[in-house]
Amino acid sequence: MQTYQMVGSRGEVVRVSVEETRASRKITVRVCLGEDDRDADKGVSLRWWTLRGSGGEVEVGEHMAEASESTKLAGNALVTPLVPSEDGSHVATVAVPLGDHPFSRFGFNPTYVHGGRPVLSRPEDHASFGVPLGFFPGTPYPLGVHRAGDWANFTVLSRACAPPRLRLFATASEAGDGVGGSVGSPNLELELDPTLNRTGDVWHCSLAVPAGVNAYAITLPSAGSAAEVGYAVEGEIVADPFGDDVARARVAEEGRLCTVSLLPARGGGGEDDGDFEEGWQEDGPLRHSLSKAVVLEMDLRRGEGEIEGERGGEVDQEGVFEAVRVAAEEVEDSGVTALAVRGLLSEETLTSAAAAGPGAGLGSLELKRLVMALHRMDLELLVQLDCLKIQEVLRTSHLNEGLACQCLREACRFLVSEYHLDGIIFLHAEKLAHGDGGMVLDRPPLVEDLCSDPALAATKLVAVPFGDHLLPRGGVRGFPHWGRWAECNGRFVSDMRDLYSGEEETGCADLAKVSMRLAGSADLFQGWENGSFHLHAERPPYHGLNAASAVGGLPLSQELLEEGLALEERESIRWALITSVFVSQGVPMVRLVDLSSESWAEDLALISKLSSFRECYFDLIQKSSFNDLKDTRWHGVDAAEEPAWGPPAPVVSSGLPLEPAPVAEPGVAGADGRGRFIGMSLWSSSEMDAVYAGFNGNDADVNVTLPSPQIGHKWFVLLDSGRMELSLTNEHARAGVEYLVKAKSSILLVMQRPKNSE
């Protein structure tokens, strides 16, 4: 039984109760008259009708007159007398047959007789009273659809005045239809009522799901512009932004493919559900320190019916969770602490998880199983979201619009609380800082709200901007952060690439920028005295995620191939850049596309070696603040000299004959080679531990002198990207006073005490 209470225009209180049986709905209307009508000897009756679905079709027939003995048919409505009761109220009871349509509305008006003419009592803001039949108001939280057996609670976030409509149908797979199937019957639609089904900006209802229904969508009638309507527009069927899963289906009336939301499974079907629920209650975000993280980035975006895999070609839609699980098992002992995955959530909604095929409705359950499996491997899960897709889903001009802010904030809360995610990475993060007309906001409300939200206090928030010119202050200080947001360091990618692939006319690179990237990018993360608060706050160096190639861009091997480099040279540069990621201040991020599928075992072994090195020498490499005093020394080709600082000198023609350049040994860079070589050594306070990293961007080999090791210690080669066979061995080769660094390569040395046998 469901009860409602409303107040009429004549001061009367109207109470309605609806009791459902298998054959009919018993509706009892009790009217407590107002002061003006309480003592008057007037006839009071109930004028009522039913509306089928949301089409406004009034259902009135002679069989409806049998709802009560005294009911009479009057035009397009039925009239039932209200009988006085002992408590002074007037009561009428009617029994409406269920009929063919499971959802309808019961509309009515108490009618008074004045001088032989009927006068209708109406609600203060509506033409008639009304209560839903077949569905109840439900609850406004949580967002999306949540199911308990045959019952489901739906919520829709919208600020539109016009009520949204909930459309229910079944999806049936078709042979040869690679996009999910077609929409079959039943096809039901119900309109939500603003007085009963609305709480603030949330529209909600609860209903018993009819047999055969496994999908739903949201539509809104004409209510003005798209910005006013929210994320739905007139005539378009859209998926629920907070749904558990989506599928592409062909709607018969539309004659085209639409994205619909799938209802979650009823649950209780698996034998291990009890064990899973018990384990899930104990599960939670790992909350590892970002400073010690090593991130593996994976892109498993799915198109229409398939997922674009990174290793081994295409991955079908059913294998999206399995692909992540397999990758996690392979890197479990490699030192990787977190997986940054794109493709686990559908890009056509905000929160839906990719399920095992259309109609399964298992997306949320499968994602929970994956998260729990990763947490048991001590691996964090960072989910990537594309802000361009988010803006498209929300149907808004910018993400700092009020409803968009609320939607995205609730989506982040939902993902963290529902799926126990450890972090969220926002691609095209510059969209989070834009306002009306594309204006760049100095203090974007959405960015500040997310970083100060208590529900996201322990969640890693990472911004990946695609263009510094689209950020506040021209991106001089990066993404607005309030000391909270981490950021993918695009400057690291460009400056380290310039060392190996920059313009060759000048013969040198900007080594000052290279050193800044290796030392934590102080220009991007250090405090700024003249900025506003969100730029003035200092971020530690580990708030920068460093990668060998840009996130969302081409694989590193493909970029090097387009430069026309030989295979051996491409491999040397690839590992030189990956090595720079692990020796620099910040968080190393390794993109799966930058690793070779042909030599996956070797690449994984090198990643494991670099991760172990970083963990062993963490105190030397990572700083908690730019104010921490670390003994960092910079070296040129000669360890006693500093690198050739400064930007490349411009070539100026004087009109005089050029002097011949000094002749160097064959295959070895001459004096000009100093402009593309930089060495860095990190020393402990006792100088008993040290590491040395050298980067040679020249087209020729460079013979460098190494810093003098501590007495009784020697330099040992941990990795040499120009000699990969040496890097793959478990035994570290000892280096002398000088070391020949191959062209377009890097070296990583550690200072250790030789064994007795040496």
Side-chain angles (χ1 to χ4, degrees), residues 57-68:
E57 178 184 350
V58 180
E59 183 180 2
V60 175
E62 294 183 359
H63 67 286
M64 299 286 290
E66 300 175 358
S68 178

Side-chain angles (χ1 to χ4, degrees), residues 593-614:
V593 291
D594 290 341
L595 301 180
S596 173
S597 58
E598 291 79 10
S599 57
W600 170 251
E602 291 79 2
D603 283 12
L604 192 60
L606 291 174
I607 293 296
S608 179
K609 177 182 286 191
L610 289 171
S611 299
S612 299
F613 154 78
R614 187 176 180 85

Side-chain angles (χ1 to χ4, degrees), residues 49-52 57-61 63-64 78 97 99 101 104:
W49 59 91
T50 60
L51 298 177
R52 296 192 56 176
E57 178 184 350
V58 180
E59 183 180 2
V60 175
H63 67 286
M64 299 286 290
L78 297 127
H101 203 284
S104 57

Side-chain angles (χ1 to χ4, degrees), residues 528-586:
W528 192 22
E529 295 298 335
N530 296 323
S532 58
F533 170 67
H534 71 284
L535 297 177
H536 170 69
E538 178 179 326
R539 288 181 288 179
Y542 58 78
H543 273 208
L545 276 66
N546 302 327
S549 61
V551 176
L554 294 176
L556 181 58
S557 57
Q558 185 174 344
E559 291 183 355
L560 296 175
L561 181 62
E562 293 178 354
E563 295 180 8
L565 301 176
L567 176 60
E568 184 177 354
E569 196 172 20
R570 295 200 304 268
E571 287 296 293
S572 179
I573 296 177
R574 181 167 71 95
W575 278 107
L577 294 175
I578 294 177
T579 302
S580 69
V581 167
F582 280 86
V583 301
S584 61
Q585 303 275 349

Side-chain angles (χ1 to χ4, degrees), residues 619-621 629-635 680-692 706-711 713 715 751:
D619 292 338
L620 292 182
I621 296 175
L629 297 178
K630 294 284 186 179
D631 191 356
T632 303
R633 307 173 187 176
W634 301 100
H635 311 280
M680 175 184 67
S681 62
L682 305 170
W683 299 76
S684 65
S685 57
S686 63
E687 295 192 356
M688 300 302 292
D689 290 317
V691 298
Y692 175 88
L706 301 177
S708 299
Q710 184 62 268
I711 297 176
H713 292 69
W715 290 110
M751 189 182 71

Side-chain angles (χ1 to χ4, degrees), residues 33 68 132 157 204 212 301 360 366 406 424 472 510 534 644 647 656 704 731 733:
L33 301 179
S68 178
L157 191 59
H204 45 84
R301 281 174 292 176
E366 288 301 311
Q406 185 177 358
I424 303 176
D510 193 343
H534 71 284
L656 299 177
V704 302
E731 295 294 333

Side-chain angles (χ1 to χ4, degrees), residues 340-550:
V341 186
R342 183 178 182 184
L344 286 181
L345 299 180
S346 170
E347 300 207 329
E348 298 187 68
T349 66
L350 295 178
T351 62
S352 72
L362 298 175
S364 59
L365 180 60
E366 288 301 311
L367 182 55
K368 289 179 180 179
R369 293 183 186 276
L370 174 63
V371 170
M372 190 166 68
L374 294 180
H375 286 174
R376 288 178 177 176
M377 300 179 194
D378 203 30
L379 291 173
E380 292 186 318
L381 179 61
L382 313 179
V383 170
Q384 300 185 48
L385 299 177
D386 190 344
C387 293
L388 291 178
K389 292 293 183 180
I390 292 175
Q391 187 170 339
E392 181 180 342
V393 168
L394 296 178
R395 304 297 200 276
T396 184
S397 58
H398 61 90
L399 293 178
N400 281 287
E401 185 269 333
L403 182 61
C405 282
Q406 185 177 358
C407 281
L408 191 51
R409 183 173 58 251
E410 292 295 336
C412 292
R413 289 175 174 176
F414 175 86
L415 292 173
V416 172
S417 62
E418 185 78 6
Y419 297 138
H420 301 174
L421 295 182
D422 302 280
I424 303 176
I425 299 177
F426 294 88
L427 304 176
H428 293 280
E430 67 276 1
K431 291 295 181 180
L432 299 177
H434 291 178
D436 292 331
M439 178 184 298
V440 180
L441 304 177
D442 194 54
R443 297 192 62 170
L446 176 58
V447 179
E448 188 172 5
D449 287 349
L450 291 180
C451 69
S452 60
D453 193 306
L456 306 176
T459 304
K460 296 178 177 64
L461 300 176
V462 183
V464 186
F466 284 36
D468 288 343
H469 63 286
L470 299 175
L471 294 175
R473 314 293 178 91
V476 174
R477 289 291 167 173
F479 189 77
H481 51 82
W482 285 270
R484 171 76 168 84
W485 281 77
E487 181 176 347
C488 278
N489 192 349
R491 301 181 191 181
F492 183 94
V493 178
S494 60
D495 290 342
M496 291 304 301
R497 280 294 306 277
D498 287 344
L499 177 63
Y500 291 96
S501 307
E503 296 293 334
E504 296 292 343
E505 289 79 1
T506 60
C508 57
D510 193 343
L511 298 183
K513 288 186 177 180
V514 174
S515 65
M516 185 173 291
R517 303 306 155 224
L518 295 174
S521 297
D523 61 335
L524 187 60
F525 296 100
Q526 196 172 16
W528 192 22
E529 295 298 335
N530 296 323
S532 58
F533 170 67
H534 71 284
L535 297 177
H536 170 69
E538 178 179 326
R539 288 181 288 179
Y542 58 78
H543 273 208
L545 276 66
N546 302 327
S549 61

